[in-house]
Amino acid sequence: MSSVTPPREYFLDSIRAWLMLLGIPFHISLIYSTHTWHVNSAEPSWWLTLFNDFIHAFRMQVFFVISGYFSYMLFLRYPLKRWWKVRVERVGIPMLTAIPLLTLPQFIMLQYVKGKADSWHTLSGYDKYNALAWELISHLWFLLVLVVLTTVSMWVFTQMKNRLTQSDAASSPAVSMTKLTLIFILLGVGYAAVRRTIFILYPSILSDGMFNFIVMQTLFYVPFFMLGALAFINPNLKALFTTPSRGCTIGAGLAFAAYLLNQRYGSGDAWMYETEYVITMVMGLWMVNVVFSLGHRLLNFQSARVTYFVNASLFIYLVHHPLTLFFGAYITPHISSNLLGFLCGLLFVVGIAVILYEIHLRIPVLKFLFSGKPPVKQDKNKAVAG
């Protein structure tokens, strides 16, 4: 284990927490958007649709950059097997805990909300499996992707570390955003080509939940995960993202406009999805600069309140989804105003999630299951002395 601990990156911790917590207004706004979801309001709202699309277009790309950054930082701190165990426990245990405690009850509730409970027995064995794969993984998909990326990174990070010993990272040549943009355009086109090829040769596999999560989602987000690891290694690359760029801000705005036009005029039977992946691949890169530079300027400080939500963000994210669906199914129909419903939804979901978080902190087994962190063992001699 490395004895050298890098300085705390407060702004990255804060950004990661905010991105996680943005899942709450994202899913609540989904209720009131024009997008078809599990539950929808009677009349959609154009501005909540716009708000929802904006969050969806960049949030997870930036999140995976931060995940890659911290993953490589911990990779240098632990032996290989220990690193894999720690990382998989931190994301795998909460995911496996949430399935029986959160997403399974959520799935059962939705069966009755949608009136499909009576027809469940008519589905084929594969259809039941696939429905469960989609519904039980649900909003936990990114945890499954992180398990896959962590496992793959055992070899990739080892190669990166071996190469790093042969050259000084501090003397690495400067990386330009133009070059990175071209690389990510090519990555987006490559991913779109892979999806189109699968669509032509074996289209039904794209509807398979586990294939979508393990293969397609991993393939899309692996460039961002690796970008985060490289940003930890290369200070010039990190500085590129933490230094404000007018070009990235304007580019992200134009990319979002292209995203909206594709949503409005694109056709799912044509190239709409492939176009979307190219756009969001590049927009995600530019938004890393926008979010990192803003966060570095505004959030790079230690605060007890921020630390609280950093620690609580994963738990709140895990429990918010069934709470949101409950709100959408049973409370939204009684609120005529979309704005009022959205605000009430935020208060309802966040309020109950924080209460549940405080309760789970007082139950050691739940604290372990929802964090993946084993309880800290106290020194018996110190305990006696105290």
Side-chain angles (χ1 to χ4, degrees), residues 23-44:
I24 300 175
F26 169 74
H27 284 116
I28 295 175
S29 64
L30 196 54
I31 297 174
Y32 298 97
S33 72
T34 57
H35 303 299
T36 302
W37 199 39
H38 300 292
V39 289
N40 288 104
S41 60
E43 294 293 334

Side-chain angles (χ1 to χ4, degrees), residues 101-102 308 312 315-316 318-323 348-363 366-367 370:
L101 297 184
L102 298 175
Y308 175 87
F315 179 90
I316 292 176
L318 292 177
V319 303
H320 93 277
H321 201 261
L323 291 173
F348 176 86
V349 173
V350 175
I352 295 179
V354 170
I355 292 172
L356 292 175
Y357 175 71
E358 288 294 330
I359 292 174
H360 111 286
L361 287 178
R362 290 156 176 78
I363 305 175
L366 288 180
K367 186 177 180 181
F370 278 100

